[in-house]
Amino acid sequence: MYCGTHDMVYCLMCIATEHRSCGDVTSLTDAAGSSLQQKEADRLQEEYESIKEVLTVSKRKKKENLVSLEENRNTIEKRLQEIEEALVEHIKKLSQQDKMSLNETYCKVKDELESDIKMLDCRISEMERVRGKFQSTTEVNQEKRFIQFKLCQQIMKDAKILHAQFESGGKVLIDFAENTSVTGQLVEVKSLGKINEARINEKKEIKGQKEIKGQKEINVRMQNDKKTCRINDICQLDCGACILADWRNKNVKLIDTNRNVKSHFDLGFLPNGICKTGHNEIAVKLCNNKIDMLSLSTGIAKVRSISVKGGGGYWGIAYTGGKFWASAETAVDVYDTNGTFEKSIAVARAGTRQMTVYQNSVYLADRSDGIVKLMSDGTKQTKFQDSKLKCTVGVCISNDGTVYALDKPSNTIVMFSQDGKCLGQLVPEIPSREDPESLCYDNKNECILIGYNSSDTVTALHLHD
């Protein structure tokens, strides 16, 4: 029989026991002869096609997820291998340094002991020589014998002093005070990281919003680097190559389009900002209140310098319209290419950081809650703000005008359209204890480059719509 209340067919036993209170129970003959039967069949056919389509889409997504899952696993395995090799290499480096220190100490102590032995040999020889003379002076007069006696006394006295001096110095040993915290911490560490399973729900697409397609680490350390790199600014040349400002090693580095470090230039001073000034020319803002112009036509060479007033210690520089825009704490100072000061523009509350140019306007990171946009005449047009931004340190802009703001506390990148509308945020996989400090949009490879406070790598963040 058919129960209309529950819209389902049941056997007589079920109808009698479980559907006695239902008021719409009819025979199958009556239910099957209903005029609604065909309409219901048509509706079921449409629903079948619809459900089949969504299930097919779900199946496709699951297959894509399976492929991306394997890519995730391969990426993590590669990173684990890189960490393993880096740790082994670092331990080898520490061991080599300690061995060198051991040999230096050994050679120093060995030379001192051999020198002392020579001095003792000389003293013993001198004593034997004087003693021989003293014993062979029986035929000389009393005055000469008295002289020999006194000389022998003095040599004996000096020998006693030398003996006391060496005995008080004690025995020299080489000791090794092992840094147990190194092995102790390694033994205590249970893993190189944490493997997490995350589920990402699809959101309604916002026009202009980007998502992370993948990321790759680029090694930017050079053999002559004495310290861990600190990439505080990045800019791109017309050819697609990128220039990195390495604050800690006081140099700039050229990375080609294949992500290889091809050359570098020692600045002699800490670089606090970098920008493109021409087809093969860049400018570097230095801590000694200078701006150095460098040519990259054949290698990297210094062309000339100009002076800036008191802005050397602050980060950020841009070049547009034949003018330098140099950070000066909470303001930006404008200079012509000859170094003539033109004006100062108050722009930031907490201090300026990285700066960039898009369509002749200057965009700068305010170390508070956003990005400030300055027109070519210096007027403040827009500030790109969002509650997710607490301390903005980096900024870059893609070809379509999307503004990317780097927030230091959260290690996230917030995106804006040119009208100031927030388009969402990117959450890259930032290694622990590595603070991101700078951004650059790589138009050649359509990705964002991220420089760090203390890291020998730069992250290439690939995006998709």
Side-chain angles (χ1 to χ4, degrees):
M1 299 191 75
Y2 171 73
C3 176
T5 304
H6 292 91
D7 191 22
M8 181 51 64
V9 291
Y10 298 99
C11 69
L12 290 174
M13 182 65 72
C14 290
I15 290 291
T17 57
E18 299 176 12
H19 296 269
R20 286 181 297 176
S21 61
C22 297
D24 189 14
V25 176
T26 59
S27 67
L28 286 178
T29 303
D30 293 338
S34 171
S35 60
L36 297 175
Q37 182 74 10
Q38 187 57 44
K39 291 182 180 179
E40 184 66 16
D42 293 340
R43 187 189 66 78
L44 281 175
Q45 182 64 30
E46 291 177 2
E47 188 175 359
Y48 164 81
E49 296 297 337
S50 176
I51 292 174
K52 181 182 177 183
E53 182 179 353
V54 296
L55 288 177
T56 303
V57 171
S58 292
K59 179 182 176 182
R60 176 177 57 80
K61 288 183 178 180
K62 290 294 181 183
K63 285 185 175 181
E64 291 174 351
N65 195 171
L66 192 61
V67 173
S68 65
L69 187 67
E70 185 176 0
E71 291 175 351
N72 290 155
R73 184 197 63 180
N74 294 340
T75 300
I76 293 170
E77 283 184 345
K78 184 179 178 182
R79 181 56 186 156
L80 287 170
Q81 183 66 30
E82 290 173 349
I83 294 172
E84 177 187 337
E85 291 172 357
L87 286 172
V88 171
E89 185 63 30
H90 185 62
I91 290 170
K92 286 182 179 179
K93 183 179 177 181
L94 292 177
S95 177
Q96 190 63 33
Q97 288 175 350
D98 288 341
K99 287 176 182 177
M100 289 176 62
S101 178
L102 170 63
N103 288 329
E104 288 174 1
T105 304
Y106 166 76
C107 290
K108 175 179 172 294
V109 174
K110 176 175 172 287
D111 290 343
E112 290 175 355
L113 289 172
E114 288 176 346
S115 176
D116 291 346
I117 291 169
K118 286 182 180 179
M119 189 179 298
L120 288 166
D121 284 340
C122 290
R123 188 64 66 188
I124 292 170
S125 298
E126 189 176 19
M127 286 175 58
E128 290 177 348
R129 179 178 54 81
V130 172
R131 179 175 174 272
K133 285 186 177 182
F134 180 70
Q135 289 177 339
S136 63
T137 53
T138 53
E139 72 285 354
V140 299
N141 58 37
Q142 291 295 325
E143 290 84 355
K144 193 169 183 179
R145 184 174 178 78
F146 181 75
I147 292 170
Q148 294 294 343
F149 176 73
K150 287 299 177 185
L151 288 174
C152 187
Q153 273 188 328
Q154 184 60 47
I155 289 172
M156 296 297 179
K157 182 181 178 182
D158 292 342
K160 289 179 181 178
I161 293 172
L162 183 63
H163 173 262
Q165 177 186 335
F166 285 158
E167 286 300 310
S168 65
K171 185 178 179 180
V172 182
L173 297 173
I174 299 176
D175 183 39
F176 176 62
E178 182 180 349
N179 186 356
T180 56
S181 64
V182 175
T183 52
Q185 288 178 11
L186 282 175
V187 170
E188 289 177 6
V189 171
K190 302 303 180 185
S191 68
L192 297 177
K194 185 179 180 182
I195 306 298
N196 295 314
E197 177 186 343
R199 293 187 178 271
I200 303 173
N201 295 323
E202 293 184 354
K203 298 178 181 178
K204 187 177 179 181
E205 184 179 349
I206 301 174
K207 188 177 181 181
Q209 185 178 9
K210 307 278 187 182
E211 293 182 352
I212 298 175
K213 181 180 180 181
Q215 70 179 68
K216 182 180 180 181
E217 303 306 312
I218 306 167
N219 183 18
V220 296
R221 186 177 180 87
M222 302 190 71
Q223 262 190 335
N224 58 334
D225 287 342
K226 296 180 180 179
K227 300 179 180 179
T228 303
C229 300
R230 184 178 188 178
I231 308 303
N232 65 343
D233 207 350
I234 311 172
C235 71
Q236 188 171 40
L237 302 174
D238 295 338
C239 64
C242 290
I243 304 293
L244 313 179
D246 187 345
W247 185 87
R248 194 169 279 116
N249 288 298
K250 300 179 183 178
N251 63 27
V252 292
K253 298 171 178 177
L254 174 65
I255 296 183
D256 64 15
T257 53
N258 294 322
R259 309 282 172 73
N260 297 314
V261 180
K262 300 301 292 183
S263 60
H264 78 287
F265 181 80
D266 291 322
L267 300 165
F269 296 92
L270 299 172
N272 289 333
I274 188 170
C275 65
K276 184 183 76 170
T277 57
H279 178 63
N280 273 319
E281 292 180 350
I282 61 169
V284 186
K285 186 171 183 284
L286 301 171
C287 67
N288 64 340
N289 293 335
K290 297 282 187 181
I291 296 177
D292 281 0
M293 270 70 86
L294 306 180
S295 171
L296 292 93
S297 299
T298 54
I300 307 177
K302 181 178 174 179
V303 178
R304 61 189 183 92
S305 294
I306 62 172
S307 298
V308 294
K309 56 170 192 176
Y314 305 106
W315 291 13
I317 185 174
Y319 178 83
T320 182
K323 310 289 183 185
F324 286 111
W325 300 61
S327 60
E329 196 173 9
T330 59
V332 171
D333 292 340
V334 182
Y335 299 84
D336 66 18
T337 53
N338 295 317
T340 304
F341 174 76
E342 294 192 354
K343 58 185 173 184
S344 184
I345 308 165
V347 289
R349 292 181 299 158
T352 59
R353 285 297 287 251
Q354 193 181 16
M355 302 165 66
T356 191
V357 172
Y358 179 74
Q359 294 183 348
N360 298 323
S361 294
V362 176
Y363 296 71
L364 60 94
D366 180 348
R367 274 186 64 91
S368 55
D369 57 357
I371 304 298
V372 177
K373 177 182 177 181
L374 298 174
M375 302 297 288
S376 57
D377 61 357
T379 57
K380 210 183 315 185
Q381 187 188 53
T382 313
K383 185 160 185 179
F384 302 84
Q385 291 178 294
D386 188 81
S387 59
K388 292 184 275 296
L389 295 174
K390 306 299 182 184
C391 180
T392 316
V393 293
V395 59
C396 69
I397 303 175
S398 59
N399 284 335
D400 62 4
T402 303
V403 179
Y404 298 89
L406 173 62
D407 183 60
K408 191 179 184 73
S410 63
N411 290 347
T412 60
I413 299 171
V414 181
M415 300 173 286
F416 297 93
S417 61
Q418 277 295 312
D419 60 4
K421 180 182 178 181
C422 181
L423 301 176
Q425 64 179 337
L426 305 172
V427 186
E429 296 177 7
I430 304 297
S432 60
R433 297 186 299 278
E434 288 189 10
D435 297 329
E437 281 200 332
S438 56
L439 295 180
C440 176
Y441 193 85
D442 182 348
N443 294 302
K444 188 79 172 178
N445 296 288
E446 296 184 350
C447 66
I448 294 176
L449 299 180
I450 306 174
Y452 296 99
N453 174 284
S454 182
S455 175
D456 291 330
T457 63
V458 166
T459 296
L461 202 64
H462 295 273
L463 310 177
H464 66 83
D465 295 326

